[in-house]
Short mmCIF file of all heavy atoms in Angstrom, two decimals:
data_model
loop_
_atom_site.label_atom_id
_atom_site.label_comp_id
_atom_site.label_asym_id
_atom_site.label_seq_id
_atom_site.Cartn_x
_atom_site.Cartn_y
_atom_site.Cartn_z
N TRP A 61 23.28 15.10 14.85
CA TRP A 61 24.59 14.52 14.99
C TRP A 61 25.59 15.57 15.42
O TRP A 61 26.40 15.31 16.33
CB TRP A 61 25.00 13.99 13.56
CG TRP A 61 26.37 13.41 13.45
CD1 TRP A 61 27.56 14.03 13.30
CD2 TRP A 61 26.70 12.02 13.53
NE1 TRP A 61 28.62 13.23 13.19
CE2 TRP A 61 28.09 11.92 13.35
CE3 TRP A 61 25.94 10.79 13.64
CZ2 TRP A 61 28.76 10.70 13.33
CZ3 TRP A 61 26.62 9.57 13.64
CH2 TRP A 61 28.02 9.52 13.46
N TRP A 62 25.51 16.71 14.86
CA TRP A 62 26.42 17.83 15.22
C TRP A 62 26.20 18.22 16.68
O TRP A 62 27.16 18.48 17.44
CB TRP A 62 26.11 19.07 14.34
CG TRP A 62 26.97 20.25 14.68
CD1 TRP A 62 28.24 20.59 14.28
CD2 TRP A 62 26.61 21.35 15.57
NE1 TRP A 62 28.69 21.77 14.79
CE2 TRP A 62 27.77 22.14 15.55
CE3 TRP A 62 25.50 21.63 16.37
CZ2 TRP A 62 27.71 23.37 16.35
CZ3 TRP A 62 25.53 22.71 17.19
CH2 TRP A 62 26.60 23.60 17.21
N MET A 63 24.96 18.29 17.15
CA MET A 63 24.68 18.59 18.52
C MET A 63 25.39 17.66 19.51
O MET A 63 25.99 18.05 20.48
CB MET A 63 23.11 18.54 18.70
CG MET A 63 22.36 19.65 18.06
SD MET A 63 20.58 19.47 18.23
CE MET A 63 20.39 19.55 20.04
N THR A 64 25.28 16.32 19.15
CA THR A 64 25.83 15.34 20.04
C THR A 64 27.31 15.43 20.20
O THR A 64 27.92 15.39 21.30
CB THR A 64 25.48 13.96 19.52
OG1 THR A 64 24.06 13.82 19.35
CG2 THR A 64 26.00 12.81 20.47
N PHE A 65 27.97 15.62 19.02
CA PHE A 65 29.45 15.70 19.07
C PHE A 65 29.99 17.11 19.46
O PHE A 65 31.19 17.39 19.41
CB PHE A 65 30.05 15.31 17.81
CG PHE A 65 29.92 13.74 17.54
CD1 PHE A 65 28.87 13.22 16.97
CD2 PHE A 65 30.99 12.97 18.10
CE1 PHE A 65 28.77 11.88 16.80
CE2 PHE A 65 30.86 11.61 17.90
CZ PHE A 65 29.75 10.99 17.23
N ASN A 66 29.06 17.98 19.81
CA ASN A 66 29.54 19.35 20.21
C ASN A 66 28.99 19.65 21.68
O ASN A 66 28.86 20.80 22.08
CB ASN A 66 29.03 20.49 19.28
CG ASN A 66 29.89 20.47 17.99
OD1 ASN A 66 30.89 21.21 17.91
ND2 ASN A 66 29.48 19.74 17.01
N GLY A 67 28.65 18.63 22.37
CA GLY A 67 28.33 18.76 23.76
C GLY A 67 26.93 19.25 24.04
O GLY A 67 26.60 19.58 25.17
N ILE A 68 26.01 19.18 23.01
CA ILE A 68 24.58 19.64 23.21
C ILE A 68 23.78 18.40 23.25
O ILE A 68 23.85 17.54 22.39
CB ILE A 68 24.21 20.57 22.03
CG1 ILE A 68 25.12 21.69 21.92
CG2 ILE A 68 22.78 21.00 22.26
CD1 ILE A 68 24.86 22.65 20.69
N ASN A 69 22.98 18.27 24.32
CA ASN A 69 22.13 17.15 24.46
C ASN A 69 21.14 17.07 23.45
O ASN A 69 20.23 17.93 23.23
CB ASN A 69 21.39 17.23 25.84
CG ASN A 69 20.73 15.94 26.26
OD1 ASN A 69 20.24 15.11 25.41
ND2 ASN A 69 20.62 15.70 27.57
N PRO A 70 21.08 15.92 22.60
CA PRO A 70 20.15 15.77 21.41
C PRO A 70 18.86 15.05 21.83
O PRO A 70 18.11 14.72 20.77
CB PRO A 70 21.02 14.98 20.48
CG PRO A 70 21.72 14.09 21.37
CD PRO A 70 21.98 14.86 22.67
N ILE A 71 18.63 14.71 23.05
CA ILE A 71 17.57 13.84 23.40
C ILE A 71 16.13 14.47 23.01
O ILE A 71 15.29 13.78 22.46
CB ILE A 71 17.60 13.58 24.93
CG1 ILE A 71 18.77 12.73 25.32
CG2 ILE A 71 16.26 12.85 25.33
CD1 ILE A 71 18.79 11.40 24.62
N LEU A 72 16.02 15.75 23.25
CA LEU A 72 14.69 16.39 22.96
C LEU A 72 14.40 16.37 21.50
O LEU A 72 13.27 15.91 21.12
CB LEU A 72 14.76 17.86 23.50
CG LEU A 72 13.45 18.63 23.33
CD1 LEU A 72 12.27 17.87 24.02
CD2 LEU A 72 13.54 20.03 23.81
N PRO A 73 15.26 16.82 20.63
CA PRO A 73 14.92 16.77 19.17
C PRO A 73 14.92 15.33 18.69
O PRO A 73 14.12 15.11 17.71
CB PRO A 73 16.09 17.56 18.54
CG PRO A 73 17.20 17.58 19.45
CD PRO A 73 16.56 17.56 20.87
N THR A 74 15.66 14.47 19.29
CA THR A 74 15.64 13.07 18.81
C THR A 74 14.29 12.43 19.13
O THR A 74 13.62 11.84 18.27
CB THR A 74 16.74 12.23 19.50
OG1 THR A 74 18.03 12.84 19.18
CG2 THR A 74 16.73 10.77 19.09
N ILE A 75 13.83 12.46 20.41
CA ILE A 75 12.54 11.93 20.73
C ILE A 75 11.44 12.67 20.10
O ILE A 75 10.46 12.07 19.56
CB ILE A 75 12.42 11.96 22.26
CG1 ILE A 75 13.46 11.09 22.97
CG2 ILE A 75 10.96 11.50 22.62
CD1 ILE A 75 13.40 11.05 24.46
N GLY A 76 11.56 13.98 20.06
CA GLY A 76 10.49 14.82 19.41
C GLY A 76 10.36 14.49 17.94
O GLY A 76 9.26 14.38 17.42
N GLY A 77 11.49 14.26 17.33
CA GLY A 77 11.51 13.94 15.87
C GLY A 77 10.75 12.65 15.63
O GLY A 77 10.00 12.43 14.68
N ALA A 78 11.00 11.57 16.50
CA ALA A 78 10.35 10.30 16.35
C ALA A 78 8.88 10.45 16.52
O ALA A 78 8.04 9.85 15.72
CB ALA A 78 10.99 9.35 17.35
N ILE A 79 8.41 11.18 17.49
CA ILE A 79 6.97 11.31 17.81
C ILE A 79 6.29 12.04 16.67
O ILE A 79 5.26 11.62 16.16
CB ILE A 79 6.76 12.07 19.10
CG1 ILE A 79 7.28 11.24 20.27
CG2 ILE A 79 5.29 12.45 19.39
CD1 ILE A 79 7.25 11.89 21.63
N VAL A 80 6.89 13.21 16.25
CA VAL A 80 6.24 14.04 15.16
C VAL A 80 6.26 13.28 13.88
O VAL A 80 5.23 13.29 13.08
CB VAL A 80 6.95 15.42 15.05
CG1 VAL A 80 6.34 16.17 13.86
CG2 VAL A 80 6.84 16.21 16.29
N GLY A 81 7.29 12.59 13.54
CA GLY A 81 7.41 11.80 12.37
C GLY A 81 6.28 10.69 12.31
O GLY A 81 5.67 10.47 11.30
N PHE A 82 6.07 10.04 13.48
CA PHE A 82 5.04 9.01 13.51
C PHE A 82 3.71 9.57 13.38
O PHE A 82 2.81 9.04 12.64
CB PHE A 82 5.06 8.34 14.88
CG PHE A 82 4.01 7.28 15.15
CD1 PHE A 82 4.07 6.07 14.44
CD2 PHE A 82 3.02 7.56 16.01
CE1 PHE A 82 3.13 5.10 14.68
CE2 PHE A 82 1.99 6.57 16.16
CZ PHE A 82 2.10 5.38 15.54
N ILE A 83 3.38 10.86 13.91
CA ILE A 83 2.13 11.44 13.69
C ILE A 83 1.89 11.78 12.26
O ILE A 83 0.79 11.69 11.75
CB ILE A 83 2.11 12.72 14.61
CG1 ILE A 83 2.06 12.40 16.05
CG2 ILE A 83 0.88 13.62 14.25
CD1 ILE A 83 2.12 13.57 17.03
N LEU A 84 2.94 12.33 11.60
CA LEU A 84 2.85 12.64 10.25
C LEU A 84 2.47 11.42 9.29
O LEU A 84 1.73 11.60 8.35
CB LEU A 84 4.08 13.31 9.70
CG LEU A 84 4.42 14.74 10.24
CD1 LEU A 84 5.67 15.29 9.76
CD2 LEU A 84 3.21 15.70 10.05
N VAL A 85 3.06 10.26 9.68
CA VAL A 85 2.75 9.03 8.92
C VAL A 85 1.31 8.66 9.06
O VAL A 85 0.59 8.29 8.17
CB VAL A 85 3.67 7.94 9.44
CG1 VAL A 85 3.17 6.57 8.95
CG2 VAL A 85 5.15 8.11 8.99
N LEU A 86 0.77 8.84 10.35
CA LEU A 86 -0.62 8.51 10.57
C LEU A 86 -1.53 9.43 9.79
O LEU A 86 -2.54 9.01 9.13
CB LEU A 86 -0.97 8.63 12.04
CG LEU A 86 -0.34 7.52 12.97
CD1 LEU A 86 -0.74 7.77 14.38
CD2 LEU A 86 -0.76 6.18 12.58
N VAL A 87 -1.22 10.72 9.77
CA VAL A 87 -2.03 11.67 9.04
C VAL A 87 -2.03 11.41 7.57
O VAL A 87 -3.08 11.38 6.86
CB VAL A 87 -1.57 13.14 9.32
CG1 VAL A 87 -2.40 14.09 8.47
CG2 VAL A 87 -1.74 13.47 10.84
N SER A 88 -0.85 11.10 7.02
CA SER A 88 -0.68 10.81 5.59
C SER A 88 -1.45 9.54 5.27
O SER A 88 -1.95 9.46 4.13
CB SER A 88 0.79 10.72 5.26
OG SER A 88 0.97 10.50 3.88
#
Side-chain angles (χ1 to χ4, degrees):
W61 179 277
W62 178 88
M63 291 175 62
T64 304
F65 285 93
N66 283 272
I68 304 175
N69 193 330
I71 294 300
L72 183 59
T74 298
I75 296 178
I79 294 174
V80 175
F82 178 71
I83 292 174
L84 293 178
V85 168
L86 290 179
V87 175
S88 182

